[in-house]
Amino acid sequence: MRVPDIIAKKRDGGELSREEIEFMIRGATSGEIPDYQMTALLMAVYFRGMTPEETTALTLAMAHSGALVDLAGIRGVKVDKHSTGGVGDTTTLVLAPLVAAAGARVAKMSGRGLGHTGGTLDKLESIPGFRISLAPSEFIAQVNTVGVAVVGQTADVAPADKILYALRDVTATVDSIPLIAASIMSKKIATGADVIVLDVKVGSGAFMRSLADARNLASLMVEIGRMSGRRTAAVISDMSQPLGRAVGNSLEVREAVHTLRGEGSRRLLELCLELASRMTVLAGVHEELGTAREHLEMLIKSGVALAKLRDMVAAQGGDPTYVDFPERLPVAPFERAVVARGSGHVARADALTLGRAAMAMGAGRARKEDPIDLSVGLVTHAEVGDEVHAGQCLATLYASSRDKLEEGASIADGAFSISETPVAAPPLVYEAVDA
Ligand code: URA
Ligand code: CA
């Protein structure tokens, strides 16, 4: 096999064989194929696309480019979920204990936040003492005893994805649906779950801006999961406004606890129930979505799901009193309200703008190595469709200095628009994609 022939085949719209794809990924991982040849191939894929079969071959080659996480020591069906990333998306902190409380095993590897989107590991680290890195034996033992553990992904998971992503990032080839699908699914497959539920976000705060693109990405990932022998489903959910009310690390942990008490944002709770019921049905814990939802709601009402979060935090070295009293989590001292300029109905509470405001105050990082401030962020008090009056507080910002507060406020002010006529709230879930 010659690399220039493989590049030319894709450039001319041909379909690559599994052997050709494996050859390219092996060469990229070992360093034998130089960056300029890999990026030429990535650009050819960007323009020509890939069939589901090619994308599955790419996914599996990337998944096997490093060590597979061995979860054989875990008894029972292992479930995982992945969100394509959003603003105020605290679902993992609610879902992981909820699904574990229902009886499935959640052995989750999460990521950090980047840009205006948050990451579960940062949120968990706002709980004093919480350890996001466990030895493999500790991780497996905790999932067997507690039912759930959430840790950082180890360095050797799908190394080819790291190499390809770094090249895509600087060659304008990130935005390719087969490359995104393979990137996400390679990590999910390498980390060993039997059941994968995908939350594909659509809207200003998401990777996918149009419903058509979100649908293509969701269907392709479900197809890859099926062809790779994993029980996979996807939900397409709205990210035109933040999912929950809190944006920022400590603030989102607080909201997750409120949600597990049944008191949080209605949208966040609803999406968690939607995703969790698919996870437990695919895991065989529940027979169908209706009974799954009833049981999951009961686990929230009874406090069993919240107790599971407490157990998980304690098992990972975190101080569980922060689960009992989440208002003790540090929140930045400088506070300012964003108020409605007129009376009417909220027409826009833009996720991207609010995510950028929180990031400007220090909640997120522009580059992977940037430090973040876990105590800053914002809480919204109105959603699209709500009726508001002039001067009403739409959001409260929390920053660690006056300058940062003003910087955040100047951005957040542009997130809201008010319409004189009634506005319909956008759907929370557009559709579900099943295998
Ligand atoms: N998230 C990923 O993990 N990979 C992509 O390519 C895009 C989003
Ligand atoms: Ca996330």
Side-chain angles (χ1 to χ4, degrees):
M1 265 181 278
R2 285 183 63 247
V3 175
D5 297 339
I6 296 173
I7 297 170
K9 187 173 177 186
K10 182 46 72 184
R11 179 201 63 199
D12 297 339
E15 180 171 356
L16 302 181
S17 68
R18 185 163 58 80
E19 290 73 23
E20 287 166 334
I21 291 170
E22 286 171 355
F23 174 75
M24 293 300 292
I25 294 304
R26 250 196 326 272
T29 311
S30 68
E32 279 161 80
I33 298 180
D35 292 353
Y36 50 82
Q37 286 181 316
M38 272 325 285
T39 56
L41 179 69
L42 292 168
M43 189 57 87
V45 169
Y46 179 91
F47 281 113
R48 292 297 192 169
M50 280 186 143
T51 63
E53 288 72 22
E54 285 178 292
T55 315
T56 302
L58 176 62
T59 304
L60 291 175
M62 283 162 60
H64 289 90
S65 65
L68 297 187
V69 177
D70 182 6
L71 299 182
I74 296 174
R75 296 181 294 274
V77 180
K78 299 163 287 289
V79 302
D80 197 358
K81 79 104 200 183
H82 178 81
S83 158
T84 58
V87 178
D89 176 7
T90 318
T91 50
T92 296
L93 296 185
V94 177
L95 269 179
L98 175 59
V99 169
R105 300 294 186 178
V106 186
K108 182 136 183 59
M109 295 199 171
S110 285
R112 296 202 178 272
L114 189 61
H116 65 279
T117 67
T120 301
L121 297 183
D122 299 319
K123 295 170 201 177
L124 285 169
E125 279 185 339
S126 63
I127 302 171
F130 195 94
R131 290 192 301 140
I132 55 129
S133 60
L134 301 181
S137 59
E138 276 183 294
F139 180 57
I140 287 170
Q142 183 178 322
V143 178
N144 278 328
T145 52
V146 183
V148 53
V150 180
V151 299
Q153 185 182 290
T154 47
D156 50 359
V157 169
D161 175 60
K162 289 190 191 73
I163 293 166
L164 261 54
Y165 195 88
L167 296 177
R168 288 163 60 204
D169 199 26
V170 293
T171 57
T173 48
V174 168
D175 262 342
S176 151
I177 287 177
L179 295 179
I180 295 172
S183 167
I184 293 173
M185 291 301 287
S186 67
K187 287 170 280 190
K188 292 289 118 179
I189 286 167
T191 51
D194 306 304
V195 168
I196 303 166
V197 172
L198 302 155
D199 178 15
V200 177
K201 308 281 192 192
V202 61
S204 77
F207 235 103
M208 296 292 117
R209 300 293 169 92
S210 80
L211 186 55
D213 281 350
R215 194 178 278 142
N216 287 339
L217 178 62
S219 313
L220 182 57
M221 290 196 292
V222 169
E223 180 70 0
I224 294 169
R226 193 186 60 75
M227 288 198 272
S228 314
R230 311 298 167 108
R231 285 172 253 168
T232 311
V235 163
I236 299 176
S237 69
D238 179 62
M239 188 38 71
S240 62
Q241 63 181 328
L243 175 60
R245 298 201 154 199
V247 182
N249 296 286
S250 298
L251 293 165
E252 288 188 49
V253 172
R254 199 165 80 179
E255 179 164 48
V257 172
H258 290 161
T259 304
L260 283 166
R261 285 180 186 158
E263 298 161 359
S265 132
R266 189 191 47 75
R267 285 161 42 87
L268 174 60
L269 177 60
E270 178 56 32
L271 184 60
C272 287
L273 289 169
E274 186 75 37
L275 295 167
S277 53
R278 286 173 196 281
M279 290 164 81
T280 60
V281 168
L282 288 180
V285 170
H286 296 118
E287 289 207 340
E288 44 100 16
L289 294 174
T291 48
R293 177 179 278 257
E294 274 170 36
H295 184 221
L296 294 164
E297 283 175 345
M298 191 278 287
L299 292 170
I300 288 179
K301 276 204 191 78
S302 60
V304 174
L306 181 63
K308 191 58 83 179
L309 175 65
R310 195 181 195 285
D311 292 348
M312 179 187 100
V313 167
Q316 290 187 237
D319 181 346
T321 59
Y322 288 95
V323 176
D324 305 324
F325 305 102
E327 55 288 344
R328 289 186 189 166
L329 287 165
V331 172
F334 293 93
E335 213 180 297
R336 187 181 183 295
V338 173
V339 299
R341 295 226 186 81
S343 296
H345 303 263
V346 178
R348 213 173 118 266
D350 189 63
L352 177 61
T353 311
L354 290 167
R356 283 186 178 153
M359 187 174 127
M361 294 187 291
R365 25 177 109 66
R367 294 181 316 159
K368 263 195 288 228
E369 50 285 351
D370 292 345
I372 58 171
D373 185 342
L374 298 169
S375 70
V376 305
L378 59 93
V379 176
T380 64
H381 310 293
E383 295 176 2
V384 172
D386 287 356
E387 193 168 355
V388 295
H389 55 78
Q392 185 175 327
C393 180
L394 301 176
T396 309
L397 311 187
Y398 300 91
S400 294
S401 73
R402 290 233 170 269
D403 285 353
K404 287 281 177 199
L405 189 65
E406 291 315 314
E407 199 180 330
S410 68
I411 300 170
D413 268 330
F416 292 94
S417 35
I418 312 291
S419 152
E420 283 172 17
T421 51
V423 175
L428 174 61
V429 171
Y430 288 95
E431 58 198 51
V433 180
D434 297 298

